Amino acid sequence: MKPSNWLAFLPLPAHLVLGWALVLATLYLVCFAVPMQEETLQESYLIFYFHFPSAISCLVLFVIAGLVCIYQLSTGSQRADLAAASAVEVGLLGCTITLVTGMVWAKAAWGKPWIWHDKRLLTVAIMWFTYLGYYLFRMAVENPVQRARYSAVLGVLFAINVPLVWFAIRLFGQVSHPMTINLQSPFMKSTQWFGALAFFILYLAFWRLRYRALALKSDAEWLEETVFSQPGR
Amino acid sequence: MSHLRVFFCLIRWDLAVEWRRRETTLNMCLFALLLLFIGSYSVASRTELQREFGSIFFWMVVLFAGTVGLSRAFLHERENAALTGVLVAPVDAGVLYLAKVAATWIYVMAMELLVFGAYLILFSFDRYDRLGILLAVMGAFTLAYVGAGMVLAAMTTGLRGGELILRVLLFPLMVPAVIAALEAGESIFKEPPPGESPLSPALCAVALLCFGAIYLASGFLLFPKVVEE
């Protein structure tokens, strides 16, 4: 369940370089290749090429975190706990970027950065708060075994809530947020999906990096407790 | 002993303890009444504001005061290690969860009925033909609220700043249910403005029941992991 095991064929430094290169390639395509304006949203639509990939990546990462949490609950693996926690942290980064780029876009398209009646904005904000709560909760639990188990329970509960929030909003919300953008040319669409892939690869590299940092920290704590706290030391 | 018998035994035990101490319900009701009183005072001078914001105050009071009950649901069990005592007995942890949910549902509903009684007086409620559907929405909302909250309460009781963490975790999780309750309140507590057609309260009650069923099912499956020693 460790991200390093799934992606062992690609060393982490190469993965990071690949991710950044693909994101820079997306930036190049957005600046020089795709049309500068769209029918209704004019040039403000360009931020969509960064907003959409972050939104998709954070959703996928939260679902992955939920699946890893199920694995943690069935095996009790401490490493799976670290993998889930790092996936949530990187997902939170993606969610924050989604919110910020969304607000910049909303300011350009609607004249204000936040509209309360748009329940789609609200869903992303809820998700952000929910997973921020997960992060804060981890800091409050001191016992690592208890922290792993409780965090896994939260990870599953919150992952269930992701589609629940999505459908609740579809049921109750008025929608002023564009569900899809009418990208006229096939090239615009392929750039959109190229960007999504590029960001996702970069986020996966961040996940591996963060996982490695958490694993090292956990090993250091274990060493401190077992070796350095021996009598006579 | 069958699961059903254990379930009713646990509810009776919880209600008996609460009846002797009267701690949770009294604290919750007093806090709820104070919140409603302050809310009512803030809009007392304007009748149209009372009508506009009355239902919002009502659900906010329920949401905030309910956490007082939730945070105390496992307090005695954790403090006196009574939970370990229950778990070493042949009691399924899932059944314990359902019994705790049922008992807390009763306390929170009692608090909501009291708050509604005060609401009748403070906010001049006059839509008595909608009382039945309001009770259904209240019951369904409380089920979703307690179903999700009980798992979180079991985890946060005994933590440093546990009560605050419970709120931080529970409120975002409850947003879909709160939206459904507020939508139902739009046509229960006031006459919808001409041209606006809020969702039917019955549909909102069904949606709340669905949320409740999902939270109950996930709580039933996850709770044994929470109380594992």
Side-chain angles (χ1 to χ4, degrees):
Chain A
M1 270 293 171
K2 288 184 265 182
S4 51
N5 286 358
W6 300 347
L7 301 161
F9 64 93
L10 186 65
L12 181 56
H15 190 169
L16 276 167
V17 170
L18 176 71
W20 278 117
L22 288 172
V23 168
L24 286 175
T26 310
L27 187 64
Y28 174 81
L29 288 172
V30 172
C31 290
F32 302 109
V34 294
M36 281 292 116
Q37 292 202 336
E38 193 257 352
E39 268 175 8
T40 46
L41 295 161
Q42 307 298 320
E43 66 271 16
S44 75
Y45 97 101
L46 288 174
I47 204 165
F48 174 74
Y49 291 111
F50 299 97
H51 176 73
F52 172 76
S54 291
I56 289 287
S57 300
C58 82
L59 281 175
V60 174
L61 279 164
F62 289 149
V63 172
I64 289 176
L67 294 174
V68 177
C69 286
I70 293 174
Y71 177 78
Q72 199 288 332
L73 286 174
S74 56
T75 60
S77 156
Q78 289 292 106
R79 293 297 191 198
D81 170 55
L82 299 181
S86 45
V88 166
E89 283 182 29
V90 178
L92 258 175
L93 172 74
C95 200
T96 310
I97 293 174
T98 307
L99 275 174
V100 172
T101 52
M103 285 194 282
V104 172
W105 192 10
K107 176 78 180 151
W110 301 331
K112 38 185 161 175
W114 197 266
I115 292 178
W116 279 110
H117 69 256
D118 188 277
K119 305 288 197 303
R120 202 160 300 277
L121 284 178
L122 194 61
T123 50
V124 182
I126 292 165
M127 209 162 62
W128 188 76
F129 277 117
T130 310
Y131 281 98
L132 203 63
Y134 170 95
Y135 186 67
L136 295 176
F137 177 80
R138 284 186 69 83
M139 292 201 291
V141 188
E142 279 161 14
N143 180 337
V145 178
Q146 201 180 35
R147 181 172 57 218
R149 207 173 58 230
Y150 284 3
S151 302
V153 169
L154 276 188
V156 176
L157 207 61
F158 291 169
I160 293 169
N161 204 40
V162 171
L164 198 69
V165 169
W166 183 260
F167 286 116
I169 299 317
R170 280 177 178 244
L171 190 63
F172 297 114
Q174 298 164 273
V175 179
S176 52
H177 190 105
M179 286 285 290
T180 52
I181 286 191
N182 183 23
L183 296 174
Q184 297 101 338
S185 71
F187 185 64
M188 287 158 90
K189 274 191 183 150
S190 48
T191 306
Q192 172 195 351
W193 287 105
F194 177 80
L197 183 70
F199 271 85
F200 187 63
I201 289 173
L202 184 66
Y203 280 124
L204 280 184
F206 285 162
W207 180 25
R208 289 177 69 182
L209 192 66
R210 188 64 191 139
Y211 169 77
R212 187 178 280 190
L214 287 180
L216 280 172
K217 191 179 164 212
S218 157
D219 289 347
E221 280 170 2
W222 178 82
L223 265 177
E224 197 181 342
E225 274 171 27
T226 53
V227 180
F228 296 113
S229 62
Q230 295 292 321
R233 289 242 169 210
Chain B
M1 240 199 295
S2 74
H3 283 325
L4 201 64
R5 224 171 131 200
V6 171
F7 173 73
F8 285 114
C9 265
L10 287 169
I11 295 179
R12 215 170 46 226
W13 167 58
D14 212 295
L15 291 176
V17 171
E18 181 54 27
W19 182 251
R20 280 190 203 137
R21 294 174 186 257
R22 293 188 188 90
E23 223 174 12
T24 307
T25 319
L26 275 180
N27 272 315
M28 200 163 48
C29 290
L30 187 64
F31 184 53
L33 286 177
L34 276 171
L35 283 179
L36 194 74
F37 197 72
I38 294 166
S40 164
Y41 178 75
S42 64
V43 291
S45 57
R46 304 264 298 273
T47 318
E48 69 276 12
L49 284 184
Q50 280 191 355
R51 288 205 175 274
E52 193 60 38
F53 297 116
S55 72
I56 299 171
F57 279 132
F58 179 79
W59 292 116
M60 288 302 112
V61 165
V62 169
L63 193 68
F64 278 87
T67 55
V68 176
L70 284 175
S71 63
R72 303 183 77 87
F74 284 96
L75 201 61
H76 300 303
E77 282 86 344
R78 290 279 189 205
E79 272 177 357
N80 305 323
L83 195 60
T84 315
V86 176
L87 291 170
V88 293
V91 173
D92 185 72
V95 177
L96 172 66
Y97 164 76
L98 291 179
K100 273 281 179 193
V101 167
T104 312
W105 185 88
I106 294 171
Y107 311 146
V108 177
M109 273 305 280
M111 178 270 287
E112 283 179 35
L113 290 174
L114 183 79
V115 168
F116 182 66
Y119 183 91
L120 286 177
I121 302 162
L122 295 171
F123 285 82
S124 321
F125 180 84
D126 54 4
R127 294 173 62 83
Y128 292 101
D129 55 322
R130 296 299 181 103
L131 269 183
I133 190 70
L134 175 64
L135 281 176
V137 171
M138 272 159 62
F141 175 81
T142 311
L143 187 69
Y145 183 63
V146 176
M150 200 49 66
V151 179
L152 301 177
M155 289 195 295
T156 51
T157 308
L159 287 186
R160 234 179 326 124
E163 211 163 317
L164 182 66
I165 296 171
L166 171 68
R167 285 179 193 135
V168 168
L169 295 175
L170 181 63
F171 288 173
L173 206 59
M174 288 314 298
V175 170
V178 172
I179 292 174
L182 285 172
E183 286 286 340
E186 281 297 298
S187 46
I188 293 176
F189 287 92
K190 60 185 183 190
E191 193 67 51
E196 273 187 34
S197 50
L199 284 169
S200 125
L203 179 68
C204 296
V206 171
L208 284 168
L209 272 180
C210 292
F211 291 145
I214 292 169
Y215 289 137
L216 273 184
S218 45
F220 182 77
L221 293 172
L222 294 170
F223 192 75
K225 288 287 173 189
V226 174
V227 290
E228 203 176 86
E229 293 288 333

